[in-house]
Amino acid sequence: ETEIIADDVPLPVFPKIDPPVLKVSATTPIQTEDVLSVPDLEEMGESLPATAAQSVVVEEGGMVEQSVDGEEEVAARLANTETTLSSSSSSSSSSSLSSITKTEDLGSAVAETPTVEKNGRLERGHVVLARWSDEGWYFRGKIVSPTPTGYLVEDNSGHREEIDTSHVLADELDSKQVPREGSHVVALHPDYSFSYAPARVTNTEDGWFYAVEFYEGTEAEVPREELYLIGEEQFQGDVGFIRAIEEALLGSFVVVRDDTDGLYRRGMVAKSSGRSYDISLNGETIQQDPSQVFPDSKKAGAPLSVGAHCLCPLDGLQNTFSPAAVTIVNTDGSYGVKVHDGSELYSVDRTSIFPINEDFYLNATNFIKSREV
């Protein structure tokens, strides 16, 4: 009989998703002095979420076989989420299972472990869902640091914003809640990648997917792991906030990517509904993804350092912008930059640029090159 010996293991935190049940559970702490056989583990009778399948290391280096009740779809959800529980040789040390966080829109960003402090506050580096002031929708971001009322959060373009605690959602803080018919939630919208909006649950009978109706009328079925429960008051506040932004954007000037050549130009918002922007640009009306739309609120606040990336104006009227890298910080606070084509500008006003991160810069530069072919 194969025996498993492990040190004290803190209770792991899993992302929220309803079962199927796995026959092997790592949700019960295993004491150092406990010796558990495979049958013992199978009789523990506790459930693991489908996206947090555990593999248990045995003394011979093999793996305890696990089985899942469910369809092939469930098996697919288990892929790439295996976490190994290893035994430790020191009785004074302990290990924890890394929390599994959805970071598709943040590249390789991964939450640090542990991700929730004892006082319930989230730690630096944790990937969260946050409501951003430029749209009012919720998007993934990384916690840079805590603040007195919330967190400083960075989005995937490098933009940072201080966001109130009530508008920062995390899997660990939501996983134990159960959506009911009529519950108010923030849910993944089916029409926009990595974009979450306020909605109401209209049906819970499926068990895996929840029928929801978004604030603007779109109906969809959303898996539990893409739902975050909120109260009715927050739902009403979020909807009102979004509506106010949509109205405020109408007629305002923004810097938007021109897909004809990939450069960014100043245009005017003609229509804003949900995450769909109609923008008047060069006498024509175009539609553009919000990730490529820069209102003045996204202009630089804090100074940039050498090596930082930005969208900088190529002309004094600030009508055309290019992805660039800062090469020098001048004594008057202006910047010297190298733009996408290798040319250099030597005195760019710091208040005229939009900070972006390296990934955004590379993607923008590659898009320009693709238009040159």
Side-chain angles (χ1 to χ4, degrees):
E1 179 179 30
T2 302
E3 294 183 337
I4 301 174
I5 305 176
D7 285 333
D8 291 347
V9 179
L11 187 65
V13 177
F14 301 111
K16 52 189 187 318
I17 184 169
D18 296 328
V21 175
L22 300 185
K23 291 186 177 180
V24 176
S25 172
T27 60
T28 299
I30 302 174
Q31 303 300 322
T32 305
E33 63 272 19
D34 289 340
V35 178
L36 304 178
S37 65
V38 174
D40 289 332
L41 287 171
E42 292 178 341
E43 293 174 2
M44 289 168 70
E46 296 196 24
S47 301
L48 278 180
T51 55
Q54 304 296 310
S55 59
V56 183
V57 177
V58 299
E59 288 183 326
E60 290 79 12
M63 308 295 279
V64 175
E65 183 177 357
Q66 305 177 65
S67 63
V68 181
D69 299 323
E71 304 296 334
E72 292 183 359
E73 175 188 2
V74 175
R77 295 188 186 192
L78 290 170
N80 301 322
T81 60
E82 186 176 75
T83 305
T84 302
L85 176 61
S86 301
S87 60
S88 171
S89 58
S90 171
S91 61
S92 62
S93 64
S94 63
S95 62
S96 63
L97 299 177
S98 299
S99 63
I100 304 168
T101 312
K102 302 173 290 300
T103 59
E104 294 91 339
D105 56 334
L106 287 172
S108 59
V110 176
E112 296 177 355
T113 308
T115 55
V116 180
E117 297 177 349
K118 292 181 179 180
N119 61 4
R121 295 279 281 172
L122 301 170
E123 289 187 341
R124 179 181 181 276
H126 191 91
V127 178
V128 296
L129 198 65
R131 192 186 82 176
W132 298 87
S133 63
D134 56 344
E135 291 186 60
W137 284 48
Y138 287 74
F139 303 93
R140 295 287 173 193
K142 238 186 348 181
I143 290 179
V144 177
S145 63
T147 68
T149 60
Y151 302 94
L152 181 64
V153 185
E154 180 178 283
D155 70 10
N156 66 329
S157 72
H159 172 69
R160 293 184 176 187
E161 185 175 319
E162 184 175 343
I163 300 176
D164 187 82
T165 301
S166 62
H167 298 128
V168 175
L169 309 176
D171 290 328
E172 291 84 353
L173 305 180
D174 180 74
S175 59
K176 294 183 180 180
Q177 301 189 67
V178 179
R180 309 291 184 189
E181 188 170 327
S183 293
H184 297 86
V185 297
V186 171
L188 179 65
H189 200 286
D191 296 337
Y192 309 104
S193 299
F194 314 124
S195 305
Y196 298 72
R200 288 188 181 93
V201 176
T202 58
N203 192 301
T204 62
E205 293 179 0
D206 180 271
W208 281 103
F209 290 82
Y210 293 77
V212 302
E213 180 179 0
F214 289 89
Y215 77 98
E216 28 71 276
T218 300
E219 296 182 351
E221 291 189 346
V222 182
R224 174 63 182 98
E225 63 266 30
E226 301 294 2
L227 292 177
Y228 295 80
L229 274 81
I230 59 175
E232 181 177 3
E233 183 177 353
Q234 182 169 340
F235 171 85
Q236 297 293 348
D238 285 348
V239 172
F241 189 72
I242 293 172
R243 296 297 190 197
I245 291 173
E246 291 174 354
E247 293 179 6
L249 280 176
L250 290 177
S252 66
F253 286 95
V254 294
V255 172
V256 58
R257 189 179 72 189
D258 185 347
D259 287 350
T260 58
D261 61 5
L263 293 175
Y264 290 75
R265 294 187 168 87
R266 189 168 294 279
M268 186 178 72
V269 178
K271 180 182 177 181
S272 174
S273 177
R275 296 201 71 236
S276 175
Y277 289 85
D278 290 352
I279 298 174
S280 178
L281 181 69
N282 297 330
E284 298 180 356
T285 298
I286 67 168
Q287 287 190 327
Q288 187 55 274
D289 186 273
S291 65
Q292 303 299 330
V293 177
F294 290 79
D296 284 344
S297 61
K298 283 194 173 183
K299 283 186 176 178
L304 301 183
S305 57
V306 172
H309 298 87
C310 62
L311 294 180
C312 77
L314 299 178
D315 55 75
L317 296 177
Q318 299 183 28
N319 286 325
T320 304
F321 290 71
S322 167
V326 176
T327 57
I328 188 172
V329 178
N330 299 314
T331 56
D332 63 358
S334 64
Y335 301 116
V337 302
K338 178 179 287 188
V339 300
H340 73 280
D341 61 0
S343 60
E344 295 191 57
L345 302 173
Y346 300 101
S347 183
V348 178
D349 187 347
R350 58 171 285 190
T351 64
S352 67
I353 66 174
F354 297 92
I356 56 177
N357 63 15
E358 184 177 8
D359 286 342
F360 193 99
Y361 168 83
L362 293 173
N363 289 334
T365 300
N366 289 334
F367 188 84
I368 293 172
K369 291 179 180 178
S370 73
R371 289 300 184 266
E372 295 172 346
V373 177

